[in-house]
Amino acid sequence: TFPGGLEVVSNEVLITVVSNSVIPASPQSILVGVNGDTLTVRESPTGMWREWKYATVAGGPYVSFAPPITGATTYVPNFSVAGIYYVICLSEINNVFVTSNEVIISVGNATLSTGPVVGSPFEFSLSAPDAMVLVPYTTNGTFNAGNTFTAQLSDANGSFTNPTDIGSLADTIPGIISAIIPATTIPGTRYRIRVISDNPVVLGSDNGTNLVVDQFGNFISPATTQTIQHSTNGSAITVAATQSATHEWKYSTTSGTAYTSFVPAETGSAYIPNFSIPGTYYIVAVSTNTYTDEVISNEVAIVVTNGSVITTLAVSGSPFLVSANLSPAVNVDFTSDVVFNSGNVFKAQLSDNTGNFTSPVEIGTLAGTSIGTISASIPSSSVAGAGYRIRVISTNPAVTGSDNGNNLLVVPFEVSVAPADTQRLMQGQFGTAISVAETHPATRVWKYSQSSGLGYTTFNPSETGATLTPRFNIISPYYIVCESTNSASDKVVSQEVVIIVTAFTGINDNEYSSIKAYWNGNDFMVDLSGSELVSPSFALMNANGQVVMGQKLNSSVLNKIATNLPEGIYIFSIKDGEKVYTGKTSKR
């Protein structure tokens, strides 16, 4: 890799691994001048040339037979002089000379053959005894007085380079040697046993089959690390013991030490990891054999992760009615896959009226690590809105949950009246009915004042209905409001409606003799030609005080006002600045 991350790949180099081996590899015991068992060389790949050689000392130097034995892939042992011979095959493969394994050939005037050995596998553990084994052997030829036959155990690979004597028998004839395989023998699957003699010296053949020595052990698989979420099953792991055994699964939070039993205990040959608390756990299997010896398996690491989700459930109770003394209660339920730590606090938060949580309002809390219901309340000061949402968050660990999933309506206590237009009435005249609209269920009382914004007085008798038709007998401006009271005893006062009450006078009074008003068919005539009015306006009301028409008038002229009104009693009003002239007339 060059600076900057540029990678280049070199040319390929072909590497060929060559080897050869001679079979059977077991020692042979043969008589002088008598053929032994045929040896065969196996080469990989096939050699270009080969030669069979021998030595009288293990490991060589090796010498050629006379004449040399070359080319053949087989060789039949036959020696004219007694002794121990080490036979190999030297192969030339791809221009490389490769020396095979040695095969021991014991040549003498007597032969010795080791018979089959039973009892494999030999199982050992800390409390297990040594293994008793019977080693039979047969002879050919003469063994001298004082001879001892000795059973020898190879190493774990079947080699007798450094054999272990495991039993002996002083004799000159075939027999059976009572031998002992030590309980401390290292485990292996290719052990062999042979019998040798010392008078004459003869290395017998081995028992002919591999023997297994088992030191009690176990292992679990698969051994790969697993990553799972808490309270969720992982992949099953299994234990295999080399001997008949019972098993118990244990764990630790520290690798290599302090393994603890599960509660309840996990036994059997398989275990499915599942932990409720996040962390890293090290799993082992403790196996116990028939000698009550225990072995502990390899570890398997289980990484248990925490959850990350809080889900706020649907919230009921909307619309929420709020006022100064009214903060409606709300239960906030939620779920979570998180394991919470000591000192955690769940918090219910209220968004603004558009569902935004940039500056949420905390409306309830629940301390602890367990999921529950948060008892919350909607703040009395909340503004009106139909887009509120609620969510739950936690503090340890810090997790922000989803919101409740649907919009919530918050309704403050408000009162309004309509129509809010100023009404101009004469003494005793009924005005236009005023209606109240309240956002909460409420009781009410209508009030009035002769000064705007203060000193409101209850009507007599009290007016408590949803509408009020104004009527006053005293000349004055009046300011009408509706005072409403909700279930929390909060009182809200509506906006004012202005009622101006003026005197009821005839148009023909001396003071107003310059103004003439009369019907001419369907036309109402207002003659201002002799008056000094500047900017007059005209209104006509029916007997119920309802304005049926109105318009501006031209001063100093006769004004004709076309109507399509039915016959009846009408009240007219002519206003000029602060002056109001009223009268009653009948249309027939």
Side-chain angles (χ1 to χ4, degrees):
T1 302
F2 289 92
L6 177 64
E7 293 184 350
V8 294
V9 179
S10 73
N11 57 302
E12 293 180 337
V13 175
L14 177 63
I15 298 176
T16 303
V17 178
V18 298
S19 65
N20 69 347
S21 61
V22 173
I23 59 171
S26 302
Q28 296 186 33
S29 177
I30 61 177
L31 295 173
V32 171
V34 176
N35 287 344
D37 295 329
T38 300
L39 302 179
T40 301
V41 64
R42 290 181 175 177
E43 299 165 332
S44 177
T46 302
M48 302 164 58
W49 174 89
R50 65 195 60 81
E51 180 181 3
W52 294 89
K53 294 187 175 186
Y54 71 94
T56 55
V57 177
Y62 304 106
V63 297
S64 299
F65 288 93
I69 302 174
T70 60
T73 57
T74 60
Y75 163 67
V76 178
N78 189 311
F79 292 89
S80 60
V81 178
I84 306 299
Y85 299 89
Y86 302 88
V87 176
I88 59 95
C89 184
L90 178 65
S91 301
E92 183 184 0
I93 305 173
N94 287 352
N95 299 316
V96 176
F97 289 93
V98 184
T99 301
S100 72
N101 55 300
E102 292 178 336
V103 177
I104 302 173
I105 309 295
S106 177
V107 180
N109 295 317
T111 63
L112 183 57
S113 298
T114 306
V117 174
V118 298
S120 178
F122 301 100
E123 296 183 343
F124 299 119
S125 61
L126 185 63
S127 302
D130 297 334
M132 303 296 295
V133 60
L134 298 177
V135 183
Y137 63 93
T138 58
T139 63
N140 187 6
T142 301
F143 290 84
N144 303 320
N147 175 66
T148 299
F149 296 103
T150 300
Q152 292 184 327
L153 181 68
S154 72
D155 65 16
N157 294 313
S159 171
F160 286 96
T161 301
N162 293 296
T164 301
D165 293 343
I166 59 174
S168 62
L169 176 64
D171 211 332
T172 59
I173 61 174
I176 298 175
I177 301 174
S178 295
I180 295 175
I181 298 177
T184 56
T185 302
I186 65 172
T189 59
R190 297 169 60 187
Y191 279 96
R192 297 287 178 107
I193 294 176
R194 72 179 180 186
V195 176
I196 67 171
S197 64
D198 60 6
N199 194 5
V201 175
V202 178
L203 300 181
S205 63
D206 63 38
N207 59 293
T209 58
N210 290 334
L211 304 174
V212 176
V213 172
D214 173 47
Q215 290 290 348
F216 183 37
N218 66 349
F219 64 94
I220 53 179
S221 61
T224 52
T225 297
Q226 295 187 38
T227 300
I228 60 176
Q229 185 170 303
H230 75 88
S231 305
T232 302
N233 286 346
S235 299
I237 53 179
T238 58
V239 60
T242 61
Q243 300 176 14
S244 177
T246 58
H247 313 286
E248 181 182 2
W249 297 89
K250 295 186 177 184
Y251 71 95
S252 175
T253 55
T254 303
S255 177
T257 185
Y259 298 110
T260 302
S261 296
F262 289 93
V263 179
E266 290 282 352
T267 58
S269 61
Y271 165 67
I272 298 176
N274 189 311
F275 292 88
S276 60
I277 304 298
T280 299
Y281 298 84
Y282 301 92
I283 308 299
V284 297
V286 178
S287 301
T288 305
N289 68 1
T290 55
Y291 298 105
T292 68
D293 289 328
E294 291 184 349
V295 290
I296 298 176
S297 72
N298 54 305
E299 289 180 336
V300 172
I302 309 294
V303 179
V304 181
T305 61
N306 206 345
S308 60
V309 176
I310 294 177
T311 302
T312 307
L313 302 181
V315 172
S316 61
S318 179
F320 297 103
L321 307 182
V322 299
S323 61
N325 293 313
L326 186 59
S327 300
V330 58
N331 289 330
V332 182
D333 294 308
F334 61 98
T335 60
S336 181
D337 63 1
V338 178
V339 174
F340 297 97
N341 303 320
S342 177
N344 175 67
V345 177
F346 298 107
K347 297 180 179 182
Q349 293 182 330
L350 181 69
S351 73
D352 65 16
N353 59 0
T354 67
N356 189 297
F357 283 95
T358 300
S359 299
V361 177
E362 184 179 304
I363 60 173
T365 61
L366 175 65
T369 60
S370 299
I371 304 300
T373 297
I374 301 176
S375 297
S377 58
I378 305 299
S380 62
S381 58
S382 300
V383 299
Y388 282 97
R389 297 287 179 107
I390 293 175
R391 72 181 182 188
V392 175
I393 68 169
S394 62
T395 61
N396 193 7
V399 179
T400 298
S402 63
D403 64 40
N404 59 290
N406 60 287
N407 290 335
L408 305 174
L409 175 61
V410 173
V411 182
F413 187 28
E414 296 174 347
V415 176
S416 62
V417 293
D421 300 331
T422 297
Q423 297 187 36
R424 297 181 182 278
L425 306 177
M426 292 177 291
Q427 293 169 285
Q429 179 187 353
F430 287 99
T432 301
I434 306 169
S435 299
V436 64
E438 298 150 333
T439 58
H440 292 191
T443 59
R444 71 205 59 81
V445 60
W446 294 87
K447 294 185 176 184
Y448 71 93
S449 174
Q450 291 175 287
S451 299
S452 177
L454 53 86
Y456 298 111
T457 302
T458 303
F459 287 92
N460 187 15
S462 178
E463 293 284 352
T464 59
T467 62
L468 170 73
T469 302
R471 181 174 181 271
F472 295 93
N473 293 319
I474 299 174
I475 298 172
S476 175
Y478 293 88
Y479 303 91
I480 295 177
V481 296
C482 183
E483 181 184 87
S484 300
T485 304
N486 68 3
S487 60
S489 299
D490 287 323
K491 297 180 185 296
V492 177
V493 177
S494 73
Q495 81 274 31
E496 293 177 332
V497 176
V498 180
I499 308 294
I500 298 176
V501 179
T502 59
F504 183 83
T505 60
I507 198 64
N508 294 319
D509 291 350
N510 292 334
E511 185 178 356
Y512 310 120
S513 59
S514 61
I515 301 173
K516 297 180 177 61
Y518 54 90
W519 287 99
N520 181 15
N522 281 330
D523 299 330
F524 193 79
M525 313 298 290
V526 180
D527 187 358
L528 301 179
S529 59
S531 72
E532 297 180 355
L533 301 184
V534 177
S535 180
S537 62
F538 168 79
L540 187 66
M541 294 161 282
N542 61 21
N544 293 324
Q546 296 173 317
V547 176
V548 294
M549 66 182 305
Q551 67 179 58
K552 290 284 187 180
L553 298 177
N554 295 318
S555 61
S556 304
V557 297
L558 175 62
N559 293 266
K560 183 173 77 172
I561 303 167
T563 74
N564 190 24
L565 296 172
E567 294 181 348
I569 303 298
Y570 291 90
I571 299 167
F572 64 87
S573 172
I574 300 171
K575 182 176 183 297
D576 183 40
E578 297 297 324
K579 296 179 180 181
V580 179
Y581 308 95
T582 60
K584 182 192 299 184
T585 183
S586 175
K587 180 184 179 186
R588 293 184 174 81

